[in-house]
Every structure is written in structure tokens, then in C-alpha cells.
Amino acid sequence: MISSMHRNKSNNNNTVKKIHLTLFMAMLWCVAFSQSKLPYLKNNQLWVNDKPYLMIAGELHNSSASSIGYMQAIWPKLKSLNLNTVLATISWDQFEPEEGKFDHQLIDYLIENAEKNNLKLVVVWFGSWKNGQSSYIPLWVKQDTKRFPRVQTADGRTTETLSVFSDESRDADAKAFTAMMKRIGAQDENQTVIMVQPENEVGIFQDIDYRSEVLKEYENQVPKLLIDYLKSNKKTLKEEVKSIWESAGSKTSGTWKEVFGNNPQSKEFFMAWHYARYINHIATSGRKEHNLPMFVNAWIVQKPDDLPGVYPNGGPVSRVMDIYKAAAPAIDVVCPDIYLPNYKEIYAQYYRKFDNPLLVPESSLDPARAFVGFAEFDAICFSPFAIEDAVGDVLFSSSYGLLNELMPIITKYQGTGKMSGIHLTSNHQDEVLQISGYEVALKIQDLKKPAFGLIVNTAEHEFLVVGMNFKATFQKASGNQIAYIGKITEGRFVKGEWVEERWLNGDETYHHELLRALGREISTASPYQSKETDLKVKQGDQFVYSPGSVESIIMPAMYKVILYQRSK
């Protein structure tokens, strides 16, 4: 009897152990599957490790990543700026200095050190073109102009820029790019590299490549692939393409001049098609080895009346977005590099909810642009250029710190219509937002200081407001009910949970008449803060630290506003 009981107990224990082992193995399989799944785009968001991800990023100077020794001092600077992603270049001339011999040192180093510094990495491939020119091609390509032909001008001169009408150039570039992608796949075990940009600001500064074979190609039929795209997407085409096509009679066959007219735009569409097909070939080849999302960036149109060639003709400007969408399905996003002040207008030109998320790989250094991009235009990336130069900009680094904290909130509410960016200036001192039935009136506090942030309707009668240097009132009238502010707290998110730090009332809210989102005062004390070393100390005097020796700056803060309704 006792022996039988022991046997039953032993069998039960073995069964439990097997169940535990099965569950444990299933858990390991799930973890391994999750880790093996590469970043991807879904619903106009970038997903990394199966979670929506914002690239709160910065792009390095062109030559910073060309040297391991030079980069050693850059990593701590990037960390001090609160980036979560860095855009760094790999150039064809360094990667393949001799044909067929690939140097993996830099790409290996970037992956390893980005991961060590808890940063994601976007690789920018300087291949056939950078800023419309071919200065980053290997010497063996530069020297062989017969095998790798160059653009020709109208007066017959040969330039140093590779012609897009060359299978040899395209295939050589693709071979190197594919070798790099294969290496990334072999070295990157933890999804450190999350996107790739093949080429950089492509296009030529003239109306067309005047090589005889190119002019002959221009007289050929518009590819059926493009015609089919135009017919299938007629209702959503960009106006610049749609109006040119329709003014020529919306033809469904013919030469470029017959379908689009004998005009500069016809040549631009022709050039854009061939640049897009060239890049698509390279991207497709690379993605076969390691299937990461890819994007192309544009040297954007500077003035509305600029003709193609004033800006790089054939590049992925918003005017020809549809040409790129038709010709380059391996490219996920067409992106603007923005240094102009009318950035919101440019955001709107490149953001297309159904097929083109906003991704800003280059911009001037302005945190307001990041808040507006992520909150109002559902951006997946904001990345100022020459990011290492921002070290010591406490407003920028603190703003980036807040955006990292807010990532789960921002990604949750992107695309819902419940969130908006805020940016007020001396030329735009007030604004009224309509959010979830509420009228939110914003007004700048101090005309001499930055005023920016975001606002999210997080629950019924509840708003999260982030920012600095503005006031906000909330109105909602429905029938005999009117809304009032019931509670305002200042706080922050810790591990995704809201933590109250201050209750605001009385003078701070004018007795709950409005929210005064003035921001938070912090010290500039930082190992990278240059202003501390610029203090005026007379020669021979000893510097002694005091509260007045470190400048205080106003930073964005977070506020939660709870509203209630009562009878009028």
C-alpha cells in the first residue's frame, strides 16, 4: 500500500516536472521568436521587439563615424543628450576600397558600441550619391569612367556624378550594399540596427542627363508599372503629379512627353522614376540578406516656384512621392531633410496616413519640432543633423528625456485624433485646439522664451499637457453643462505610471481658471555644459561654487488636468 502511494506520488511529480519543462521551453521559444523578429512598419508606426517605437534620434556629422578612434569620444556625448537612436554613415569607398574586398570594421564597431550605450542604430549608406554628387564612391569606381559613366551637361561636359542610367554602377553599388546588410544580419543579434537609408539626397542639378542614350530613353514609352499605379491611385495622387497628368489628358500610354507634357515636370518624373528604380534594386538586394525597413531622404524644394534642377532633380521630394511609391516598393518611407522655418507645412507634405509615415532624418536643432512631429503628425523619427554639436544644450537634452518618458503615451495615441503638438512664437502667440469635444485655448507666456509641448486627451475629462511657457484654458459646453478645472497636478511617469509631484492651485492656476504650463526650473550643471566655463572671473580671482555660479534654465514639465462639468 505504501509502495503504491509512493509510486503514484512519484508519477505525479514527474508529470508536474514535464508540464513545467514544457511551459519553460514554450516561454523560451516565445522569447527567441520575439527577439528574432526584425523591426517592421505597421499602421504607419515603427515596431521594434514587437512594440511601437519612436526614434528620438540624432544624425552624426558626415565624417564622425569614419573613424573608430574619433567615435570613442562621441558615445558619451550622445548619451548626455538622451537620444535613444543614432543615425551614422557607412560609405562605399571605406567599405569596399578594393573591388570585392569588404572592410567590416566600422559596421561591426558601430553595432557593438551602439548596443553597449543602449542606443538603436540607423545606418545611412553613402553609396552612389550623397547630396546629388558621387564623392563617396570608391577610387576604383571614380577612375573607370567607361564602366561607370557620368552625368553629361547640356553643353557636352562630363561631370563627376555617376549617371543613374548605368546597370554597372547600380549593380556594383548593390553588391557592396548587400554585403553590408549581410554583415549586419550576422553581427546584430539584438535588433540594434532598426532601419537603413540607401543613398542620400539623390538627384542632379540640371533638367536631365544629356548623354545620348538617356535622351533616347526619354523618348520611350512610360513604363506600364507607373501607368497602372496612376490609374489605381488616381484619387489619392499628389496634386503635383495628378494635375500634370490630367492637363496632358490623363493618357494611359505614350512617351513621357505625351503622358505628362513637354515641360520640366515631365523630365523630373522621368529622372525620379529612374533614380527610384536604381535605389529599389539596391534596397531589394539588401533586404534579401537582412530585411530591415528602409527609407530615402530628400533635399527638399526650397521655394514653391523652384524648378527641378534648382533642387536635385529626380530626388524623392514630395512632388514626386507617387513616382517613388510606384517605382520603389522596397522603400518604406520618403523623407524630408528640413532646415527651413516652415517645418509644419513640410511635415504635412510628406506625411500620408495610408502609406507614408513622417520620418525626419535631418533637421535643425529645435525640440519644438520633435514634439509637434510626434504628437501632431504621428512621426516615427525626429533627428537633428550634427547631433554631437548639441552637447551642452540643456533645453534640448531635457526635452529628449521627456519624450523618452512619454513614448508609451505618444505611440498609444498617435492616429487617434486625441493628441496635438504645441508650438507658439512671437509671430504665432495663441492657438485654439479642438480635442475630443473640448476647446483648448493656448497663449504664449513670455515672448522671449521658447513655448512648445504637446497635449493628449487621456481619458474622459482628463488631459495630459507637456511643455513650457504657455497658458491653457479648457471649455466644453453641452446643453446646460459647462466644464471647469477640478484638479491640476505636476508630475512624471515612472515605469509607465503617473507619479504626482506637486498639486497646483491658487496663484499657480489663478484658482483653477487655467493651466499655467510654465515649465520647471533646473540647473545647467553638467559635464558637457559649456556655459559653466564661460563665467566671467577676473584674472587672479579664485572661482568658488555658489548657487549663482550655475545658470538656471526653464525646461518643459508634465501636467495632468482633471475637468468636471456642472450646471450653468
Side-chain angles (χ1 to χ4, degrees), residues 136-205:
Y136 283 89
I137 60 178
L139 185 58
W140 54 270
V141 175
K142 290 178 180 177
Q143 292 173 330
D144 194 343
T145 57
K146 185 176 181 180
R147 180 181 169 193
F148 306 108
R150 311 304 155 89
V151 171
Q152 193 173 100
T153 63
D155 59 5
R157 290 181 296 107
T158 300
T159 70
E160 280 296 293
T161 302
L162 288 179
S163 173
V164 71
F165 300 89
S166 168
D167 291 350
E168 281 281 354
S169 298
R170 181 200 66 192
D171 294 346
D173 190 336
K175 184 179 179 181
F177 181 79
T178 303
M180 182 190 72
M181 293 300 297
K182 183 177 182 179
R183 186 67 177 185
I184 292 172
Q187 294 295 111
D188 185 13
E189 298 178 353
N190 297 306
Q191 295 192 26
T192 298
V193 183
I194 56 176
M195 289 193 85
V196 177
Q197 176 191 302
E199 313 303 335
N200 185 84
E201 293 185 354
V202 303
I204 57 173
F205 293 97

Side-chain angles (χ1 to χ4, degrees), residues 1-9:
M1 182 73 175
I2 293 174
S3 175
S4 175
M5 289 177 62
H6 275 294
R7 281 197 304 273
N8 289 337
K9 187 174 181 181

Side-chain angles (χ1 to χ4, degrees), residues 390-457:
V391 168
D393 190 327
V394 183
L395 175 58
F396 179 82
S397 60
S398 296
S399 298
Y400 256 34
L402 280 182
L403 286 170
N404 274 288
E405 205 171 312
L406 288 164
M407 190 194 298
I409 297 291
I410 294 173
T411 55
K412 177 180 178 180
Y413 286 96
Q414 283 184 330
T416 65
K418 295 183 177 183
M419 180 168 60
S420 181
I422 298 169
H423 189 193
L424 304 174
T425 66
S426 59
N427 296 322
H428 180 65
Q429 298 179 22
D430 49 61
E431 184 174 5
V432 177
L433 304 176
Q434 303 292 336
I435 304 178
S436 301
Y438 275 93
E439 183 177 277
V440 184
L442 306 167
K443 187 172 182 62
I444 194 169
Q445 175 77 15
D446 186 338
L447 294 177
K448 296 180 181 179
K449 296 178 180 178
F452 63 89
L454 60 82
I455 180 170
V456 194
N457 175 217

Side-chain angles (χ1 to χ4, degrees), residues 16 48 50 64 71 126 286 305 335 392 421 461 511:
V16 170
V48 179
D50 274 338
S64 293
M71 277 298 298
F126 284 176
D305 57 351
C335 312
H461 312 311
H511 300 280

Side-chain angles (χ1 to χ4, degrees), residues 46-62:
L46 175 65
W47 290 63
V48 179
N49 293 320
D50 274 338
K51 293 180 181 179
Y53 183 84
L54 302 178
M55 290 183 277
I56 303 164
E59 181 169 339
L60 298 170
H61 274 293
N62 294 161

